[in-house]
Amino acid sequence: NAGVTQTPKFRVLKTGQSMTLLCAQDMNHEYMYWYRQDPGMGLRLIHYSVGEGTTAKGEVPDGYNVSRLKKQNFLLGLESAAPSQTSVYFCASSDRGRTDTQYFGPGTRLTVL
Amino acid sequence: EDQVTQSPEALRLQEGESSSLNCSYTVSGLRGLFWYRQDPGKGPEFLFTLYSAGEEKEKERLKATLTKKESFLHITAPKPEDSATYLCAVQAQGSQGNLIFGKGTKLSVKP
C-alpha cells in the first residue's frame, strides 16, 4: 500500500515549456486535490476533483489544468510555464464521507527559469 | 473570509521543555480542524482531526484541543525528533472537502 505517490520528484523547466505532474493513489479515495506550497504562503489549493471525470477550481487555478480520467490518477498540467509557478506541488486524496482526512504525497519540486 | 492564523511562526525548545502551539481560525461553520506535521522535503503527515469545541485527542507527546475560535497543540516533554513544521487547517461546512491552511509553526527541539 503506497498511499499517494507523485511523479516526478524534481523538475526544471524553461519559461514557456509545458509539463504534466502525475498523482496516483491506491486507497480507492473519491476526492483528490492539488496544492502548491510557497515560502511564507502556506499550502494553497489549485484544483480538486470529487470523482472520476470531474474537476473544479481552487484558490489559485490560473495557469494550470487538471484531468481525472481514472479514479486513482489526478494529473496537473502547466501549458506554458512561468517563473511564478516555481513551487513545491503536493497532491492529496481523501475518502469523503468517512473521516475527510486528506493524505498527502511526497511532493514535486518545480523550478521555472 | 475563512482564515487560519498560526502562532508563533517559530519556536525553539530545550528537550523536555513543554509548550503549546496556537491555531486561530475564522470559518463559516466548522466541519473539521486538522493538524499535520511536515518534515523538510516531505509531504504533510496527518496527526489529528477535531470536529467540535471541547474535543481533545492525544498521540504520544502531542495533545490537540479545540474551542470555538482556536485550537492548541500541546507538546509535553518534547524530544529532538519532534522537530518539524506543524500545520493547522480547517474545513468549512458545505465545502468540497477543501482545506484552508495556516502558514505553520516551525518547532526546533534542542538536546
Side-chain angles (χ1 to χ4, degrees):
Chain A
N1 190 339
V4 179
T5 57
Q6 293 183 232
T7 308
K9 289 183 168 51
F10 303 93
R11 186 72 186 268
V12 178
L13 290 179
K14 293 182 180 179
T15 298
Q17 288 184 319
S18 63
M19 77 162 296
T20 299
L21 282 66
L22 171 64
C23 175
Q25 53 95 3
D26 62 2
M27 297 175 282
N28 201 35
H29 285 169
E30 286 293 333
Y31 286 43
M32 296 186 75
Y33 309 84
W34 276 107
Y35 293 88
R36 61 178 289 174
Q37 187 175 40
D38 302 292
M41 296 293 292
L43 283 151
R44 292 180 294 169
L45 183 65
I46 305 172
H47 285 282
Y48 63 97
S49 168
V50 300
E52 182 177 319
T54 75
T55 63
K57 294 180 180 180
E59 180 187 354
V60 289
D62 294 342
Y64 305 95
N65 56 75
V66 289
S67 64
R68 183 106 181 263
L69 300 180
K70 294 182 179 180
K71 185 177 181 179
Q72 63 268 34
N73 295 339
F74 195 28
L75 279 63
L76 178 71
L78 287 72
E79 290 188 349
S80 180
S84 60
Q85 294 179 304
T86 293
S87 187
V88 182
Y89 292 86
F90 290 101
C91 176
S93 70
S94 71
D95 188 4
R96 185 68 186 261
R98 293 179 63 188
T99 65
D100 289 349
T101 300
Q102 291 187 22
Y103 296 92
F104 284 79
T108 295
R109 183 173 294 275
L110 174 66
T111 302
V112 183
L113 302 175
Chain B
E1 181 183 352
D2 299 336
Q3 189 171 313
V4 176
T5 302
Q6 291 187 246
S7 61
E9 291 185 10
L11 180 63
R12 301 181 73 170
L13 299 174
Q14 287 295 128
E15 184 172 1
E17 179 186 4
S18 301
S19 188
S20 296
L21 282 55
N22 178 263
C23 172
S24 298
Y25 64 91
T26 54
V27 64
S28 51
L30 181 70
R31 182 181 174 95
L33 185 141
F34 299 78
W35 282 99
Y36 287 85
R37 169 190 171 129
Q38 186 175 25
D39 293 301
K42 302 287 183 63
E45 175 188 348
F46 171 72
L47 293 174
F48 304 108
T49 309
L50 302 168
Y51 293 104
S52 58
E55 189 175 359
E56 299 181 352
K57 288 193 177 175
E58 290 188 62
K59 179 180 180 180
E60 296 181 357
R61 295 176 293 281
L62 300 177
K63 178 180 179 180
T65 62
L66 181 65
T67 72
K68 289 186 177 181
K69 294 184 178 181
E70 56 192 350
S71 176
F72 292 94
L73 185 65
H74 307 277
I75 303 176
T76 301
K79 298 182 178 181
E81 54 261 42
D82 294 321
S83 297
T85 296
Y86 290 85
L87 303 175
C88 173
V90 297
Q91 190 178 76
Q93 292 282 359
S95 71
Q96 298 286 341
N98 303 348
L99 293 178
I100 301 165
F101 279 86
K103 296 179 181 179
T105 293
K106 184 175 182 179
L107 174 66
S108 299
V109 182
K110 302 300 182 184

